[in-house]
């Protein structure tokens, strides 16, 4: 695993882990990994994953704008044409330094967990699959959970909607993998957008529906 290389200018950096299934044979997986590695250049690297019959594509941290403009999006279509599938997980990391304060972290976590229905729909996962790998239901109440982890605790279940165990990032695990640009970009949109949206939430705006999905959509 190489040292992180940051791409783009900004405060919010996103790192993507996209699990890609190949036909499963060594020769085809090796050849497709070569294609992916060449297309990524210095923007990412590949990992083995025991849960995937292929490989995991991992990007270095990048801003939302950099991802939209400079990620090799045609690679996804090329892999799909070779018979690859995005059936498993798409995980999006966001740097902890992106947040202004513990209260900002609290507002963001609370927004994610309060809007589980809309986010589940956007994740494109079946509910049972989501509960196994990125559960919204590991915690009986999101309020104590959000308070605890806003203060810096990393004591939480990995297979949660937001994995809080990493020292430098929060990992949003809810999304199903895809080889379609629109679906992958939507995951990055949601993470980056929710961080910025909750940055400016005030108590009066929350009382007027700021924590709701409708409030986010209007913003």
């Amino acid at each position: 695993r190489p040292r992180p290389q940051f791409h783009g200018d900004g405060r919010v950096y996103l790192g993507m882990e996209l699990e890609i299934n190949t036909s499963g044979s060594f020769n085809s997986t090796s050849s497709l990994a070569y294609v992916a590695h060449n297309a990524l250049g210095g923007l990412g690297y590949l990992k083995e994953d025991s849960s995937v019959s292929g490989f995991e594509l991992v990007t270095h941290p990048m801003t939302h704008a950099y991802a939209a403009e400079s990620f090799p999006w045609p690679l996804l279509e090329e892999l799909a044409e070779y018979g690859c599938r995005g059936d498993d997980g798409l995980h999006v990391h966001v740097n902890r330094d992106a947040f202004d304060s513990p209260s900002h972290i609290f507002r963001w976590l609370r927004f994610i967990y309060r809007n589980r229905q809309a986010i589940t729909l956007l994740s494109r996962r079946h509910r049972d699959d989501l509960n196994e790998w990125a559960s919204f239901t590991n915690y009986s109440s999101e309020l104590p959970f959000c308070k605890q982890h806003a203060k810096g605790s990393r004591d939480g279940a990995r297979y949660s909607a937001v994995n809080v165990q990493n020292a430098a990032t929060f990992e949003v695990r809810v999304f199903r993998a895809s080889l379609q640009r629109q679906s992958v970009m939507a995951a990055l949109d949601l993470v980056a957008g929710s961080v910025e949206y909750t940055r400016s939430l005030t108590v009066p705006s929350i009382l007027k529906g700021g924590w709701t999905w409708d409030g986010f959509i209007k913003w």
Side-chain angles (χ1 to χ4, degrees):
R1 180 181 300 177
R3 292 176 62 87
Q5 300 173 17
F6 290 79
H7 296 268
D9 296 321
R11 185 172 183 181
V12 180
Y13 286 90
L14 309 171
M16 182 170 66
E17 298 174 348
L18 176 61
E19 296 173 347
I20 297 171
N21 282 308
T22 66
S23 64
S25 69
F26 174 78
N27 288 336
S28 65
T29 299
S30 179
S31 298
L32 292 166
Y34 182 80
V35 170
H37 176 77
N38 284 346
L40 280 172
L43 185 56
Y45 53 97
L46 307 182
K47 290 168 55 179
E48 290 184 323
D49 190 312
S50 59
S51 66
V52 179
S53 59
F55 51 83
E56 185 175 55
L57 184 158
V58 182
T59 69
H60 286 289
M62 52 189 175
T63 62
H64 180 267
Y66 192 94
E69 297 172 5
S70 300
F71 181 82
W73 296 107
L75 168 64
L76 302 186
E77 183 178 352
E78 183 178 5
L79 291 173
E81 290 175 352
Y82 280 126
C84 295
R85 305 180 314 280
D87 299 331
D88 293 291
L90 165 59
H91 305 156
V92 180
H93 290 257
V94 59
N95 57 313
R96 288 175 178 261
D97 290 345
F99 296 88
D100 289 340
S101 62
S103 61
H104 183 193
I105 295 173
F106 172 79
R107 294 192 300 270
W108 178 70
L109 288 171
R110 194 87 195 277
F111 171 80
I112 296 292
Y113 279 88
R114 282 176 64 96
N115 292 285
R116 63 193 68 185
Q117 184 173 354
I119 292 173
T120 297
L121 181 64
L122 187 60
S123 77
R124 296 171 296 103
R125 282 189 183 268
H126 297 296
R127 188 176 299 276
D128 291 344
D129 186 39
L130 188 66
N131 286 339
E132 180 179 2
W133 296 104
S135 177
F136 278 108
T137 60
N138 282 338
Y139 306 94
S140 58
S141 170
E142 79 272 2
L143 182 58
F145 166 80
C146 295
K147 285 183 176 179
Q148 176 184 2
H149 296 291
K151 296 177 180 178
S153 171
R154 291 161 52 195
D155 182 19
R158 179 186 178 192
Y159 297 118
S160 301
V162 180
N163 172 20
V164 299
Q165 292 183 351
N166 301 306
T169 68
F170 292 105
E171 179 189 15
V172 183
R173 296 179 52 89
V174 298
F175 308 105
R176 184 183 178 191
S178 175
L179 294 178
Q180 295 184 353
R181 173 176 179 162
Q182 183 180 18
S183 296
V184 174
M185 197 64 215
L188 302 179
D189 291 343
L190 174 61
V191 176
S194 60
V195 170
E196 292 301 343
Y197 174 65
T198 53
R199 188 186 304 279
S200 58
L201 273 184
T202 61
V203 171
S205 65
I206 290 170
L207 293 175
K208 293 179 181 179
W211 258 331
T212 66
W213 189 253
D214 285 344
F216 178 55
I217 294 301
K218 289 176 182 178
W219 173 82

